[in-house]
Amino acid sequence: MKKLLFLLLVVCLALPALGLAEDYPKIKFYQKNYIASTDDTARVKVTVSKAGSMKAPITLELRNARGDVLATKDYKAGTKELTFSFQPDESQEGGHDLSVWYGDVKLNADEGYLAITDKHRKVITKIETDQPLMCVTIDCAYVGGPTDQFLEILDKYNVKCTFFMTGQFVENFPDQAIKIRDAGHEIGNHSYSHPHMLQQDNLDKWASQVRNTAQIIRDTLGVNPRLFRPPFGEFNWKISSFARAEGMEVCMWTVDSHDWDPKFARAPENVIKRITETKGPSMIDKGVIILFHLDGYNTASILDKMIPQYQEMGYTLVPVSTLLEAGGRALPALPYGIEE
């Protein structure tokens, strides 16, 4: 009997450490994903349930995966919703897996996620550099068939470029994605399913399109994507915040080749003239980024004619990351726990 009483006492004392005490509130994040700018107050709303008979106010802590306390909030029995608020600073930019704690007790089962960014930071469209460098970028979404032809042409001219892949492209055409990686080209993130993201207006969907694809690329290709190209070029600072939280900067383009337009690109000379002869804004210049598509019209033949013209003009075609390095522009830090 004494042993039984002793065991009951030990269990009762251990309940708080295990987070099983009835009086402790149960926390659920109001939504899966939150965003914040360094300009504004970050707000993370949670719901509270099963608080038992606890009456005295207690202080809860909102922490990230590193264990940093981002914010605190007083709680008393009967409260059904709480909002943790704090002013983020530059050191907190990036992604934060969220949990709520009371002392050593974690009160939530499922974690939340907070992306913090400087919403005024400019995305990549062109990089200022004194070096004669330019970029060819190729978006990959719907087809994998032309991959070998593209790689042969790029290898023919000793050119490395940046391929932006959707998650579905990597899943549907893993062999082609691996060939691109093995050929030494840079891999960027192009969302999961190539949607019009601004039409979704949903933080969870935006985060999924960006973060899930980054993980698919890591798992399948073993590389960390450091650039994100939004489908159709449509984005806002909220979408870019999820990209930066994954260690990626939004990469747009200086010149759209229009290889996606059959009326324009069925005649390759139209595209070549547009990107090599037109005296428009920054059409031929140091630091220019050109947009092509793996499923574009006549794109392979266009590259076969365009690349030597650029090289004859003295330009070297490089991946975007090389251009960024030449221009002295840093990329966001990788997420906590992910190594370079």
Side-chain angles (χ1 to χ4, degrees), residues 12 89 101 105 124 170 197 199 202 219 239 243 285 326:
C12 290
D89 59 38
W101 295 74
V105 180
I124 299 165
V170 178
M197 293 179 70
Q199 294 180 8
N202 183 297
D219 292 343
I239 293 171
D285 198 2

Side-chain angles (χ1 to χ4, degrees), residues 185-199:
H185 298 286
E186 183 173 42
I187 309 299
N189 182 332
H190 196 34
S191 81
Y192 178 73
S193 58
H194 207 276
H196 288 277
M197 293 179 70
L198 290 179
Q199 294 180 8

Side-chain angles (χ1 to χ4, degrees), residues 25-77:
K26 306 300 184 294
I27 300 295
K28 183 176 181 181
F29 287 96
Y30 193 78
Q31 57 198 54
K32 293 181 180 179
N33 296 280
Y34 303 82
I35 56 168
S37 165
T38 51
D39 279 356
D40 307 310
T41 301
R43 293 182 173 84
V44 176
K45 186 178 179 181
V46 301
T47 58
V48 189
S49 62
K50 300 180 181 178
S53 59
M54 177 178 287
K55 293 182 180 179
I58 61 174
T59 299
L60 306 182
E61 295 178 341
L62 179 69
R63 302 181 189 176
N64 62 17
R66 294 183 181 88
D68 302 327
V69 177
L70 302 177
T72 61
K73 187 71 177 181
D74 288 338
Y75 164 82
K76 62 181 180 179

Side-chain angles (χ1 to χ4, degrees), residues 32-255:
K32 293 181 180 179
N33 296 280
Y34 303 82
I35 56 168
S37 165
T38 51
D39 279 356
D40 307 310
T41 301
R43 293 182 173 84
V44 176
K45 186 178 179 181
V46 301
T47 58
V48 189
S49 62
K50 300 180 181 178
S53 59
M54 177 178 287
K55 293 182 180 179
I58 61 174
T59 299
L60 306 182
E61 295 178 341
L62 179 69
R63 302 181 189 176
N64 62 17
R66 294 183 181 88
D68 302 327
V69 177
L70 302 177
T72 61
K73 187 71 177 181
D74 288 338
Y75 164 82
K76 62 181 180 179
T79 303
K80 295 184 178 181
E81 291 183 351
L82 293 173
T83 300
F84 291 90
S85 303
F86 68 101
Q87 177 60 53
D89 59 38
E90 291 182 1
S91 69
Q92 295 170 318
E93 286 190 54
H96 300 265
D97 290 310
L98 302 175
S99 55
V100 178
W101 295 74
Y102 173 53
D104 294 331
V105 180
K106 184 178 177 180
L107 303 178
N108 57 289
D110 297 325
E111 293 183 337
Y113 184 81
L114 171 65
I116 300 174
T117 190
D118 175 0
K119 65 183 179 183
H120 301 296
R121 182 181 300 131
K122 293 182 179 179
V123 303
I124 299 165
T125 55
K126 179 186 175 185
I127 297 297
E128 296 300 324
T129 176
D130 293 331
Q131 300 181 40
L133 303 176
M134 302 177 71
C135 294
V136 166
T137 63
I138 300 171
D139 290 359
C140 311
Y142 308 114
V143 303
T147 300
D148 288 345
Q149 185 181 11
F150 274 65
L151 293 180
E152 288 173 6
I153 292 169
L154 295 172
D155 186 60
K156 175 181 176 181
Y157 298 106
N158 193 28
V159 167
K160 304 300 181 187
C161 64
T162 302
F163 284 79
F164 287 93
M165 301 181 183
T166 65
Q168 289 182 339
F169 176 86
V170 178
E171 290 178 337
N172 294 334
F173 310 106
D175 292 343
Q176 285 83 350
I178 290 170
K179 284 182 180 179
I180 292 169
R181 179 205 63 190
D182 289 349
H185 298 286
E186 183 173 42
I187 309 299
N189 182 332
H190 196 34
S191 81
Y192 178 73
S193 58
H194 207 276
H196 288 277
M197 293 179 70
L198 290 179
Q199 294 180 8
Q200 296 177 329
D201 195 21
N202 183 297
L203 295 185
D204 291 343
K205 289 183 179 180
W206 289 344
S208 177
Q209 287 285 337
V210 175
R211 300 185 70 211
N212 287 0
T213 302
Q215 193 58 52
I216 290 169
I217 292 173
R218 292 188 193 104
D219 292 343
T220 307
L221 303 179
V223 298
N224 291 312
R226 304 306 308 276
L227 301 162
F228 174 72
R229 174 164 286 169
F232 308 101
E234 300 170 355
F235 72 99
N236 56 23
W237 76 268
K238 298 177 182 179
I239 293 171
S240 65
S241 70
F242 289 118
R244 290 168 181 160
E246 285 294 313
M248 300 175 287
E249 186 54 84
V250 174
C251 180
M252 300 291 284
W253 53 84
T254 320
V255 182

